[in-house]
């Protein structure tokens, strides 16, 4: 994916039941998941009081002499952390700093710390409700709205379970939440559709319980994977174990299908499979769906790294050689943006090394996870052609994206999506490929191994799992087709309720 599409957030939380320090575990848990959010990171721990650390950019690598003191940065036997890419609130530096999670939210009666992964569809309505009650309050991030709602319920002497239940019933959207009560109790819960992943695990001696967006946050700490939270479930930790409570019934599961194609790390498990196994199956399925264009190719190349496992599957099913002719510059991690026309190739050169001698005169089958806006894919294909590729057949694992996402992925309008305006043949012409071969929706679902009605496929089918998102999508589509200008993140400004 070279369109620089962003996930919104990732979380990691831990509690040490023998009162040891948890900051190091949270630090590594966030490092393992930095692909889910680059703009800022933060950690709040508790040892009788809250302690906070927040900063912009990636979770830092720390030099050896300072490393031990870095790991002692915050005291506390329980804590939560977050890495963030913003899909609500401002994106100027000041807004990014003030929007960095976790947040502490409180009233005179109670306080809590909270962090999440997701996006609230009825953001506008919720914000206005709170503004009516407390006009002086300012909101920098969605999760503050969840925190404010929880604190309001807790202040009315409701217990945590019924307060979380109210959130689940009144908030629409994707929310995988971790939090700390004012007494340092660790809790986590998932929205009733389970749109974003959230799993639990234990240290081998079961002294530390952890909650993580992806299992890789557990693996890096040497923890054992225990279970994925159910949609509508709340968990607490107690004496080295988890206490699980199903607060609202799951009416319809809707795990984001895009996690499998792009967002999640290949070595994370979602559902009952590792993500890389699903991607290999995508490749095998693409070989079945587009045998003609495989037969018209001399060699497979993959755009690292989400295309790699797909290429292996395509190679296994077709017998065509997978030439590892595109490599990522391993230690160049800065995001590259196209600033000037003459920078077009430099942008790709800084990210990828393409070995032209392996492509010259060849018909290449290129595996890629998705095409969103199409601008960067165009530059990649231009580069492949410049290096001598005779034909370029694109094999895309995620079906054609025809609509926006309201659940936290950075694609908010129809107009920005090349797939909402053009069929595959036109897209091929626009981006300079000979063919663009999207995996079918049914093929994607079969490869994932869940039922279609257990996945969110809103952006590729136009059918969203929650009612307000569907209403917004339909209204936006109608206006877009009539040529009206679109208003960016509609959930922040829409009065459709
Ligand atoms: S609309 Fe698309 S990107 Fe958004 S949650 Fe659903 S499948 Fe994922």
């Amino acid at each position: 994916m070279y369109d620089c599409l962003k996930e919104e957030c990732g979380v990691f939380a831990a509690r040490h039941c023998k009162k040891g320090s948890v900051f190091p575990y949270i630090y590594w848990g966030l490092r393992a998941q930095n692909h889910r959010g680059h703009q800022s990171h933060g950690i709040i721990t508790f040892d009788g009081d809250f302690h906070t650390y927040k900063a912009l950019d990636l979770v830092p690598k720390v030099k050896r002499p300072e490393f031990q003191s870095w790991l002692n940065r915050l005291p506390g036997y329980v804590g939560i952390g977050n890495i963030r890419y913003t899909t609500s609130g401002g994106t100027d530096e000041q807004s990014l700093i003030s929007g960095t999670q976790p947040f502490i939210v409180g009233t005179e009666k109670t306080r809590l710390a909270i962090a999440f992964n997701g996006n609230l569809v009825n953001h506008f309505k919720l914000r206005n409700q709170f503004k009516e009650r407390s006009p002086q309050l300012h909101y920098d991030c969605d999760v503050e709205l969840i925190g404010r709602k929880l604190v309001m319920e807790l202040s009315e002497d409701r217990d945590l379970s019924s307060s979380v239940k109210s959130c689940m019933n009144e908030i629409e959207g994707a929310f995988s939440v971790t939090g700390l009560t004012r007494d340092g109790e660790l809790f986590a819960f998932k929205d009733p559709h389970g749109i974003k992943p959230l799993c639990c695990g234990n240290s081998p001696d079961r002294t530390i319980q952890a909650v993580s967006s992806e299992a890789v946050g557990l693996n890096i700490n040497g923890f054992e994977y225990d279970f994925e939270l159910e949609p509508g479930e709340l968990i607490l930790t107690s004496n080295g174990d988890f206490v699980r409570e199903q607060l609202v019934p799951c009416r319809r599961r809707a795990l984001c299908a895009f996690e499998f194609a792009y967002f999640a790390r290949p070595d994370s498990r979602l559902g009952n499979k590792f993500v890389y196994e699903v991607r290999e199956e995508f490749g095998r399925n693409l070989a079945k769906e587009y045998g003609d264009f495989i037969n018209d190719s001399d060699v497979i190349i993959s755009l690292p790294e989400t295309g790699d496992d797909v290429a292996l599957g395509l190679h296994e099913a077709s017998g065509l050689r997978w030439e590892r002719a595109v490599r990522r510059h391993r230690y160049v991690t800065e995001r590259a943006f196209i600033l000037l026309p003459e920078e077009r190739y430099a942008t790709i050169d800084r990210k990828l090394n393409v070995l032209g001698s392996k492509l010259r005169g060849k018909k290449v089958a290129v595996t890629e996870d998705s095409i969103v806006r199409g601008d960067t894919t165009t530059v990649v294909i231009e580069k492949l052609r410049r290096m001598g590729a005779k034909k370029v057949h694109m094999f895309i694992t995620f079906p054609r994206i025809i609509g926006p996402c309201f659940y936290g992925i950075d694609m908010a309008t129809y107009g920005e999506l090349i797939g909402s305006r053009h069929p595959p043949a036109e897209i091929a012409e626009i981006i300079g490929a000979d063919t663009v071969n999207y995996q079918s929706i049914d093929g994607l679902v079969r490869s994932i191994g869940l039922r279609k009605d257990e996945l969110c496929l809103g952006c590729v089918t136009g059918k969203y799992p929650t009612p307000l998102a569907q209403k917004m999508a339909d209204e936006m589509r109608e206006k877009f087709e009539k040529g009206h200008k679109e208003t960016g993140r509609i959930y922040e400004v829409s009065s459709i309720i």
Side-chain angles (χ1 to χ4, degrees), residues 138-399:
H138 176 75
Y139 296 96
D140 293 304
C141 177
D142 272 16
V143 78
E144 271 183 290
L145 297 171
I146 302 180
R148 190 67 56 196
K149 171 84 182 146
L150 278 176
V151 159
M152 197 177 82
E153 299 280 336
L154 290 166
S155 301
E156 288 168 12
D157 294 329
R158 299 207 174 91
D159 63 12
L160 185 63
S161 296
S162 47
S163 304
V164 171
K165 192 172 172 178
S166 293
C167 286
M168 289 182 180
N169 285 330
E170 289 174 39
I171 298 176
E172 178 176 326
F175 43 97
S176 284
V177 178
T178 57
L180 301 173
T181 66
R182 66 171 180 185
D183 304 318
E185 189 167 21
L186 173 63
F187 62 91
F189 60 91
K190 220 187 228 188
D191 66 79
H193 291 86
I195 296 171
K196 294 284 138 193
L198 193 64
C199 63
C200 293
N202 277 287
S203 61
D205 62 0
R206 298 189 84 82
T207 53
I208 305 164
Q209 283 70 60
V211 183
S212 183
S213 288
E214 289 185 40
V216 289
L218 303 172
N219 300 150
I220 197 170
N221 281 304
F223 292 176
E224 287 155 8
Y225 176 91
D226 205 341
F227 60 91
E228 179 73 24
L229 262 82
E230 288 294 315
E233 186 177 40
L234 166 73
I235 63 107
L236 301 167
T237 56
S238 165
N239 297 328
D241 215 340
F242 293 100
V243 179
R244 306 178 64 172
E245 194 178 357
Q246 187 69 41
L247 293 182
V248 302
C250 169
R251 284 179 290 275
R252 187 241 194 261
R253 281 170 200 272
L255 176 60
C256 169
F258 212 177
E259 291 277 347
F260 293 92
Y262 173 60
F263 289 115
R265 258 178 60 165
D267 45 343
S268 277
R269 46 192 284 185
L270 289 177
N272 289 325
K273 287 185 186 169
F274 287 105
V275 170
Y276 80 88
E277 294 175 313
V278 172
R279 289 182 186 159
E280 287 174 9
E281 193 53 37
F282 288 165
R284 288 189 277 270
N285 186 54
L286 279 164
K288 262 189 241 154
E289 292 189 352
Y290 296 103
D292 287 356
F293 296 118
I294 285 289
N295 290 338
D296 188 47
S297 304
D298 300 319
V299 68
I300 299 167
I301 63 165
S302 53
L303 297 186
E305 288 149 358
T306 45
D308 291 343
D309 299 313
V310 183
L312 175 60
L314 198 59
H315 156 73
E316 281 175 352
S318 66
L320 202 63
R321 180 171 167 75
W322 171 24
E323 188 73 62
R324 306 287 311 265
V326 183
R327 302 285 176 158
R328 188 183 275 276
H329 291 295
R330 203 162 159 193
Y331 297 104
V332 181
T333 52
E334 292 89 348
R335 286 190 175 271
F337 296 98
I338 298 172
L339 301 172
L340 302 165
E342 57 270 29
E343 284 259 277
R344 282 158 78 81
Y345 297 123
T347 302
I348 296 304
D349 290 340
R350 281 181 214 129
K351 287 184 173 186
L352 300 175
N353 197 17
V354 181
L355 309 181
S357 61
K358 299 288 180 188
L359 307 180
R360 206 155 297 131
K362 301 240 169 85
K363 295 180 273 183
V364 293
V366 182
T367 56
E368 168 68 309
D369 52 76
S370 55
I371 301 175
V372 181
R373 298 172 185 101
D375 44 3
T376 331
T377 315
T378 306
V379 182
V380 172
I381 294 171
E382 273 176 25
K383 169 135 188 163
L384 297 177
R385 299 254 189 224
R386 202 165 50 107
M387 304 211 90
K390 197 162 89 186
K391 273 192 177 179
V392 178
H393 295 298
M394 298 297 293
F395 289 81
I396 312 295
T397 58
F398 201 57

Side-chain angles (χ1 to χ4, degrees), residues 195 256-258 405 407 409 411 456 458-459:
I195 296 171
C256 169
F258 212 177
C405 176
Y407 305 117
I409 308 304
M411 40 191 202
C456 176
C459 55

